[in-house]
Amino acid sequence: MAKTDEHQAWLAELEAKSRAKQVGFINGISGKLRRPRSAEPPAHPFRGAPEFWNEFEWPIDERVEKFRANFKAAGGHSERLATMEDARAFIASKAEEMSAKYVIRQNQPELNALGLEEAIPDASFSVWNSDAEEHWKARAAEADFGIVVADYAAAYTGSVTVLSSKDKGRSVSLLPTVLMVIIPIERLHTRLGQILVNFDQAGRENLPAGIHFISGPSRSADIENDLTIGVHGPGVVYTLIVG
Amino acid sequence: MSVTGTQAGGATVKERAGLALNNDFLRKAVKFTTERLRNGKINAAEDHGNWDEWRERGRQIRLHTIAHLDYYLNLFADNARANGVNVHFADTAAEAVQISLDIAKRAEAKTVVKSKSMVTEELHLNHALEGIGVEAIETDLGEYIIQLAGETPSHIIIPAIHKNRYQIAELLSADAGETLAPDTQVLAGFVRRKLREKFLEADIGMTGCNFAIAETGSMVLFENEGNARMVTTVPKTQITLMGMERIIPSWSDLEVMATLLPRSATGQKLTVYMSGITGPRREVDADGPEEMHIIIVDNGRSLQLGDPEFQELLNCIRCGACLNACPVYRHIGGHAYGGTYSGPIGAVLTPALKKNVAEWDDIANASSLCGACYEACPVKIPLHEMLIYLRRRKLEAGRGDKMEALGMKGFAAVMSNAKRYGAVLKIGQLGQKLVVRDGGIRLKIGPLKGWNTYRVTPSLPKESFRQQWKTMEEEIRHGLQDMDPAMKDRMEQIVKDRAAGKGGHGHHG
Ligand code: SF4
C-alpha cells in the first residue's frame, strides 16, 4: 500500500492549500459573527446530557432485561448466559442449526480462549488479521458467521459498541450474514453517555479509527414503508450477555 | 488490491460472497423476524420522559456551537488533520465539486459508492462525477431505487416514498435482467447482492456527515442499512462532504444528538448503526480507508451567520420531523418544492442558502403558519416565524401583490409592537385575524398561486385541526397537485410508526 512519491507530493500540495484557506475561511466566520476570533475555548455550560439524566442508572438485572427487550424489539436476538462455556455451546448450536460453513472472528483473548474452532469442526475458521498476507475484507465478506466481543453495551437504547484495532476488524461486525456478539456483563451500562464519555477522556490520540454502535440487524423501510432486514449489514444478530 | 482475484475454496470472493448472500438461512431467519416485527405486538416506544428538556438541551448545544463556530470548526479541522485526514475548505458548490473530482481523478476511480448525503445532492455531485466518466452509485436502498428511476429524493429520510412496490419491482427487474417479484424481501435481497459487488469493487466511498466532533476531529454517521459503514470500511479512499455547521464540541454532546435525531426522524431509540470515524485506518489495521478526505462546505451557510432572523437555521440536524409534521408537505409531496431540501425546512433553507428571496417562489409559500414544524423540531427552530420573515423580505423586495403587502404590513406592525410571541398559536391567531380583515382568505384557483392559497386557519384547537384541514383540502383541491393517495397513506403510516418506535429509515448528513 505504499503510495507513490508523486501522490504524496500532491497530497502535501493540497494540505498547504487547505491550511492557507482555513485562515480566511475561519476569519470569515468570525467576521460574520461580528467579533474577533478567540483562541480560547468558549465556556460550554450545556455540555452533554441534562443533569437529571446523568444520575440515572439501572441495577444490573434490570439493565440486562432492558437491553434484551430493546434488542429484540429492533429485530435482534439476545440471551443471557452464565458462563463463556455456555456462550461457546450456544454459538456452536446456532452454527449447526444454520449450517454455517465459513466463520470469521476477532483476534480477541476471550475468543482465543474459547475453543470455538473445536466446537464447530465443520466450519472453516479465520481469525482477523492473523496473517499479514491474507485479504481480510474478503474473508469477512464470504463469512456466514462473524463473532466479536463487545467493548461496551448500553441498555437504554439496546446498543453494543465495538472499537477497531489491529486485532478487531470493522468488517467482522459488518460483512458476515450472521453476527454473534458476546457482551461480558460488566461492560453493560445503562446510558449511551456512560460509553461516550470514555472517548472524551481518552482524547484524540487514543481513539481507534472506527467506533461503531450496533443496535440490531441491518434494516430498511424504503420499499413502501415495509420493514425488511439484512439489507447491507448482517440480517441476523445475536447478543449474548455473559455473567 | 483486487478483491475478485482472491481465492477461497476454489471460488472467487465475489462468487463466495454471492453464495453467502444467497443462503437460504438468511431468507428464513429474516422472514421470521420481519413477521415478528410487522405483526407481533410491538411495544410502543417507551415514552422517553422529559422530552422538552432534551429539546432545550439540544437547542442550547447547537446555539452554543454555532455562536462559536469559528473556534469549533477550526479545532475540528486541526484535529482531523492530526488524525491523518486531508481536510479541504470549499466556499461554493463549484469548489467542493472540483475538489471531489480532483481526488477521483488522482485515484483513477472508476466507481464511487455513496451513502445518503444531502450535501452531495445539493452539489449535484453525481452528475459531475459522471461528466468525468466516474460511475456514482447510491447505495441506500431508497436512493438506489430512485437513482435507477433517474429521479431525486422526495423526502430527506425516505427518498423513495413516492414509489410503490410494483414500480420498484419494474425498475429493479430491468436492472437485474430478470423478472423480480414485487416482494419487499426479494427486491431488497437483489439490491443486497448487487451492491455487495459494487462495495467490493469501488475505488472511492463517499459519505455525508451527521455530526463532526471538534475536540477529537471525528465524524459521526447515523444509518440503518449498513451502507454507510460499507463505504467507510471497504474502499481504499473515503471522501466525506460536510456542511460547515455540522459541528458539535464533544462525544458527550453526541449523547444529546443521538437521543434527539433518531427519535425525531424514525421514532427509533437509536439507529441500527451509529459510527464515529476518527481518521483513516491505522498502519496496523487490516480494513478501513487508506486515504480519507473531509470537504467542509459553505455554499451559502455562512450567510445565515450574524443574521438574527435566520442564524438558527444552522442548528438544523436534518431529521425530517418538520416534513412529516407539515400538513402541506403531506399533501403535495417533496418534489413539488423543487429544491434539494423539501418541506418546511426546505422552504426556508433553499432561499436562505442563496440569500435570494426571489428563490422563495410560489411553492415555498406552501406552508401554513400552524407551527406544527416548530413543535416537531428537536432543536426548536422557529421555522414558522422564519417563514413570516421571508415573506416580509420578499414583499420588501417588491414582490407579492398589493393585498398581500397590506396583510403583511399588518403582521409587521403587530410583530414589532408586541415584545414576545411565546405561543405559536398566538401568532397564528393574529395572522388569521389580520388576513381575514383584509379581505378574507382568498382561495385562488390555478396551480400554486399566492401564499394564502395554502393558509391553514391556525387558531383552531388541535383536535379540530384535522377536520379543518380536510375542508381546506377539498376547497383548494383544484389548485393543487394531489399527492398520490397511496403515498399519503405511507406518510401517515410513518407518522404512526414513529409513535410506535418501529421506523426503519436511514439518516444522512
Ligand atoms: S428544521 Fe428541525 S425538524 Fe426540520 S429537519 Fe431541521 S432539525 Fe429536523
Side-chain angles (χ1 to χ4, degrees):
Chain A
M1 78 173 83
K3 288 172 193 153
T4 64
D5 291 347
E6 193 204 343
H7 190 74
Q8 289 300 355
W10 174 70
L11 287 175
E13 191 188 309
L14 283 184
E15 184 180 335
K17 235 168 130 183
S18 155
R19 282 182 189 274
K21 178 131 196 185
Q22 184 171 344
V23 178
F25 199 93
I26 302 291
N27 285 343
I29 297 174
S30 311
K32 291 207 170 81
L33 290 167
R34 297 198 198 92
R35 50 162 181 68
R37 181 169 153 192
S38 155
E40 290 303 303
H44 180 13
F46 303 105
R47 190 183 172 103
E51 281 69 33
F52 76 86
W53 183 246
N54 292 332
E55 284 149 25
F56 170 57
E57 173 108 50
W58 278 320
I60 186 66
D61 286 334
E62 197 171 353
R63 253 180 270 165
V64 172
E65 189 191 305
K66 291 284 198 321
F67 177 92
R68 293 186 58 205
N70 282 327
F71 205 79
K72 285 184 199 164
H77 307 269
S78 187
E79 303 289 337
R80 182 175 187 174
L81 304 171
T83 64
M84 286 298 272
E85 286 68 47
D86 294 340
R88 176 182 54 211
F90 185 91
I91 295 170
S93 75
K94 287 294 163 194
E96 196 186 7
E97 190 184 313
M98 300 187 196
S99 51
K101 291 196 181 56
Y102 293 84
V103 178
I104 188 160
R105 66 169 178 84
Q106 306 288 37
N107 195 0
Q108 288 169 289
E110 298 91 335
L111 295 177
N112 295 343
L114 200 53
L116 276 170
E117 285 81 349
E118 294 76 54
I120 316 173
D122 293 343
S124 134
F125 259 83
S126 313
V127 180
W128 182 259
N129 211 4
S130 52
D131 171 357
E133 296 307 306
E134 186 58 87
H135 192 305
W136 289 103
K137 283 183 272 193
R139 287 284 83 78
E142 72 185 13
D144 299 317
F145 271 35
I147 304 171
V148 308
V149 180
D151 291 279
Y152 305 98
Y156 194 79
T157 54
S159 313
V160 296
T161 315
V162 291
L163 312 185
S164 71
S165 75
K166 170 179 173 290
D167 298 320
K168 296 187 288 182
R170 289 146 79 167
S171 304
V172 179
S173 61
L174 178 66
L175 297 174
T177 313
V178 177
L179 173 62
M180 293 274 172
V181 187
I182 295 174
I183 306 169
I185 199 163
E186 64 279 5
R187 299 186 190 177
L188 174 59
H189 301 273
T190 304
R191 295 169 278 113
L192 279 181
Q194 290 168 294
I195 299 172
L196 293 167
V197 71
N198 293 296
F199 309 138
D200 281 330
Q201 281 163 5
R204 183 191 68 72
E205 298 88 340
N206 300 310
L207 292 185
I211 297 174
H212 300 282
F213 289 76
I214 303 171
S215 308
S218 153
R219 64 148 104 181
S220 172
D222 276 349
I223 298 177
E224 284 198 357
N225 199 33
D226 185 19
L227 202 61
T228 179
I229 67 173
V231 186
H232 293 302
V236 181
V237 185
Y238 284 89
T239 49
L240 311 177
I241 303 170
V242 177
Chain B
M1 49 180 157
S2 162
V3 171
T4 47
T6 310
Q7 299 292 306
T12 68
V13 169
K14 238 160 85 178
E15 283 160 4
R16 276 293 314 143
L19 265 170
L21 292 164
N22 272 323
N23 259 346
D24 265 357
F25 76 75
L26 175 64
R27 279 287 292 281
K28 276 185 225 139
V30 162
K31 189 158 176 274
F32 169 73
T33 312
T34 28
E35 270 162 21
R36 172 154 64 85
L37 281 172
R38 208 178 293 148
N39 308 327
K41 291 244 181 310
I42 298 147
N43 305 334
E46 181 187 68
D47 191 21
H48 187 63
N50 307 86
W51 183 242
D52 269 329
E53 255 180 84
W54 282 98
R55 281 176 83 210
E56 182 57 26
R57 182 56 68 124
R59 175 170 173 267
Q60 292 298 347
I61 290 171
R62 293 299 294 147
L63 281 173
H64 169 82
T65 313
I66 300 300
H68 302 280
L69 190 60
D70 46 354
Y71 174 80
Y72 285 118
L73 186 60
N74 194 55
L75 184 65
F76 172 77
D78 288 348
N79 281 327
R81 209 179 271 126
N83 291 331
V85 176
N86 302 282
V87 180
H88 312 273
F89 294 88
D91 291 321
T92 62
E95 258 178 82
V97 168
Q98 196 50 54
I99 296 166
S100 311
L101 295 185
D102 285 349
I103 298 166
K105 279 186 209 152
R106 280 280 167 173
E108 292 170 10
K110 286 186 198 66
T111 55
V112 172
V113 280
K114 292 181 63 199
S115 63
K116 193 147 61 178
S117 150
M118 292 309 284
V119 175
T120 60
E121 289 283 341
E122 191 182 315
L123 307 178
H124 305 293
L125 196 50
N126 292 5
H127 205 73
L129 285 165
E130 270 156 38
I132 60 162
V134 177
E135 189 190 4
I137 304 158
E138 296 288 351
T139 62
D140 176 89
L141 178 57
E143 297 269 349
Y144 184 70
I145 292 164
I146 59 162
Q147 191 184 30
L148 282 179
E151 295 172 5
T152 54
S154 57
H155 185 289
I156 66 176
I157 304 288
I158 322 143
I161 183 77
H162 58 291
K163 293 247 177 280
N164 67 37
R165 75 177 70 200
Y166 301 98
Q167 295 167 312
I168 294 169
E170 219 170 280
L171 283 166
L172 293 178
S173 297
D175 188 34
E178 59 174 308
T179 308
L180 300 172
D183 172 274
T184 312
Q185 201 61 51
V186 169
L187 299 174
F190 163 72
V191 174
R192 177 181 170 96
R193 270 198 309 281
K194 169 102 194 211
L195 288 183
R196 191 53 84 92
E197 286 178 19
K198 300 288 183 190
F199 289 126
L200 292 169
E201 288 168 354
D203 309 289
I204 295 179
M206 188 175 276
T207 75
C209 169
N210 289 104
F211 298 102
I213 298 175
E215 292 175 7
T216 60
S218 314
M219 54 159 295
V220 182
L221 291 168
F222 288 73
E223 51 141 359
N224 280 320
E225 295 182 9
N227 58 322
R229 283 192 66 190
M230 290 283 182
V231 306
T232 55
T233 302
V234 184
K236 233 168 136 173
T237 302
Q238 177 186 335
I239 304 177
T240 291
L241 287 123
M242 65 172 259
M244 62 187 281
E245 81 288 10
R246 292 294 101 200
I247 303 279
I248 52 174
S250 67
W251 287 87
S252 297
D253 295 310
L254 181 63
E255 184 181 17
V256 179
M257 300 304 145
T259 300
L260 294 172
L261 177 59
R263 279 167 211 273
S264 303
T266 57
Q268 289 170 280
K269 290 179 178 169
L270 190 60
T271 44
V272 174
Y273 302 109
M274 175 174 84
S275 303
I277 295 164
T278 309
R281 75 197 280 175
R282 306 295 181 257
E283 204 64 57
V284 294
D285 290 352
D287 60 0
E290 287 167 25
E291 186 175 308
M292 183 171 165
H293 298 265
I294 295 181
I295 305 174
I296 298 168
V297 181
D298 180 339
N299 197 29
R301 286 166 174 78
S302 66
L303 294 172
Q304 318 318 314
L305 289 168
D307 182 331
E309 290 175 341
F310 292 99
Q311 184 165 316
E312 276 190 62
L313 263 186
L314 299 177
N315 296 357
C316 175
I317 59 172
R318 306 280 191 270
C319 71
C322 55
L323 278 66
N324 297 337
C326 178
V328 177
Y329 175 86
R330 279 150 82 172
H331 193 82
I332 62 176
H335 283 139
Y337 289 81
T340 301
Y341 302 96
S342 57
I345 179 65
V348 183
L349 195 60
T350 303
L353 288 180
K354 300 191 177 159
K355 207 64 167 187
N356 180 2
V357 284
E359 279 285 322
W360 191 58
D361 59 7
D362 287 330
I363 187 60
N365 295 339
S367 58
S368 68
L369 297 175
C370 71
C373 46
Y374 168 76
E375 279 172 46
C377 180
V379 289
K380 297 167 80 166
I381 301 174
L383 287 168
H384 58 299
E385 290 181 21
M386 291 179 179
L387 284 162
I388 296 176
Y389 302 146
L390 265 175
R391 286 171 188 184
R392 195 200 63 226
R393 288 187 189 189
K394 186 178 177 184
L395 291 164
E396 281 167 1
R399 297 176 192 87
D401 66 31
K402 265 190 193 152
M403 283 304 276
E404 283 166 333
L406 222 60
M408 288 311 294
K409 254 184 216 144
F411 257 121
V414 173
M415 295 207 44
S416 56
N417 282 347
K419 280 268 184 301
R420 279 187 47 142
Y421 289 93
V424 176
L425 218 53
K426 199 84 181 236
I427 295 178
Q429 281 168 342
L430 286 168
Q432 188 197 14
K433 275 185 205 141
L434 281 165
V435 175
V436 171
R437 195 174 303 139
D438 285 342
I441 300 176
R442 294 164 305 143
L443 297 168
K444 295 178 183 173
I445 307 295
L448 314 172
K449 291 263 170 59
W451 68 272
N452 47 11
T453 306
Y454 308 105
R455 204 160 153 66
V456 176
T457 313
S459 63
L460 293 162
K462 265 189 192 153
E463 285 72 41
S464 61
F465 174 75
R466 257 193 213 110
Q467 298 161 356
Q468 177 67 14
W469 173 244
K470 232 182 192 160
T471 347
M472 285 291 288
E473 184 177 276
E474 268 144 35
E475 283 181 79
I476 60 181
R477 178 147 287 180
H478 307 289
L480 280 172
Q481 295 162 241
D482 254 321
M483 184 188 265
D484 171 0
M487 173 174 164
K488 203 157 126 196
D489 285 350
R490 291 199 289 276
M491 288 289 302
E492 272 154 19
Q493 191 55 42
I494 286 160
V495 174
K496 268 188 231 141
D497 290 350
R498 277 157 34 94
K502 64 166 190 172
H505 303 289
H507 292 258
H508 50 79

